[in-house]
Amino acid sequence: MSELLPTVDDTRAFGRSLAAVLRAGDLVVLSGPLGAGKTALAQGIGAGLGVAGDVTSPTFVIARVHRPDPARGGRLPMVHVDAYRLGGVAEVDDLDLDADTDAALTVVEWGAGRVEQLAQEHLFVEIERPEGDEAGEARRVRLTAAGPGWAARTPALRTSD
Ligand SMILES: Nc1ncnc2c1ncn2[C@@H]1O[C@H](COP(=O)(O)OP(=O)(O)OP(=O)(O)O)[C@@H](O)[C@H]1O
Ligand SMILES: [Mg+2]
């Protein structure tokens, strides 16, 4: 499934709607080049889950745990990881996150090829600038679900082309 996101607000809105189908224990792997909008999408997911604290892309923090905020209708904690500087799954394991990832949603930027082993079921979200419009604001987002559980969630997640 792929969708065109004309502005950053559309990317955040896409993240919010995606959050509606996400559950405890899920792993979402965000990929795309520098400045693609991975953090913007993570912000939308965080808003959809109703987590506390601003979802940002800090330079010196690799992982942050956002607790659900009851005032925002918080449903699940979100573990937000920036794996850019991490070598692989062993280093992600070594983070010793102060969170039970079985009870949280884990969102990993730059996670492709690094973290898939952490969860049997994961959702790849690829963001890119549409071909021919590299200078514009628009982005294209492509979802690929890995694992059998996704098919039943929403029709939108059923295909990966
Ligand atoms: N359609 C769009 N979707 C997402 N971001 C957009 C869009 N149009 C413009 N932008 C801008 O592109 C930038 C995306 O930055 P963001 O930090 O989300 O990217 P990133 O992929 O997380 O980068 P990094 O690789 O450094 O982590 C923001 O400044 C945002 O305002
Ligand atoms: Mg980022």
Side-chain angles (χ1 to χ4, degrees):
M1 172 269 177
S2 108
E3 193 166 315
L4 195 67
L5 306 167
T7 70
V8 65
D9 286 342
D10 295 304
T11 298
R12 294 205 180 100
F14 183 83
R16 279 198 302 277
S17 59
L18 188 58
V21 304
L22 298 174
R23 298 181 192 149
D26 282 348
L27 173 64
V28 175
V29 180
L30 302 181
S31 61
L34 277 172
K38 300 179 291 297
T39 299
L41 190 61
Q43 287 165 348
I45 294 173
L49 294 178
V51 299
D54 290 336
V55 176
T56 58
S57 195
T59 313
F60 299 109
V61 178
I62 288 170
R64 195 169 264 162
V65 182
H66 295 270
R67 307 280 167 206
D69 180 353
R72 297 183 189 181
R75 196 160 69 75
L76 281 181
M78 178 169 107
V79 179
H80 181 207
V81 180
D82 190 331
Y84 189 70
R85 287 174 218 80
L86 298 180
V89 69
E91 285 179 42
V92 176
D93 266 343
D94 277 354
L95 287 176
D96 203 13
L97 294 167
D98 182 23
D100 174 7
T101 50
D102 287 338
L105 169 70
T106 303
V107 177
V108 187
E109 298 188 33
W110 296 104
R114 292 182 164 110
V115 299
E116 288 84 352
Q117 298 99 312
L118 291 179
Q120 247 190 350
E121 302 227 336
H122 42 265
L123 190 64
F124 284 107
V125 183
E126 233 183 301
I127 311 172
E128 61 188 16
R129 292 179 169 84
E131 221 170 293
D133 185 30
E134 284 83 359
E137 271 192 57
R139 305 288 194 267
R140 179 163 292 284
V141 68
R142 197 163 273 126
L143 297 188
T144 309
W150 296 101
R153 301 229 196 157
T154 72
L157 291 176
R158 241 165 240 171
T159 55
S160 57
D161 55 339

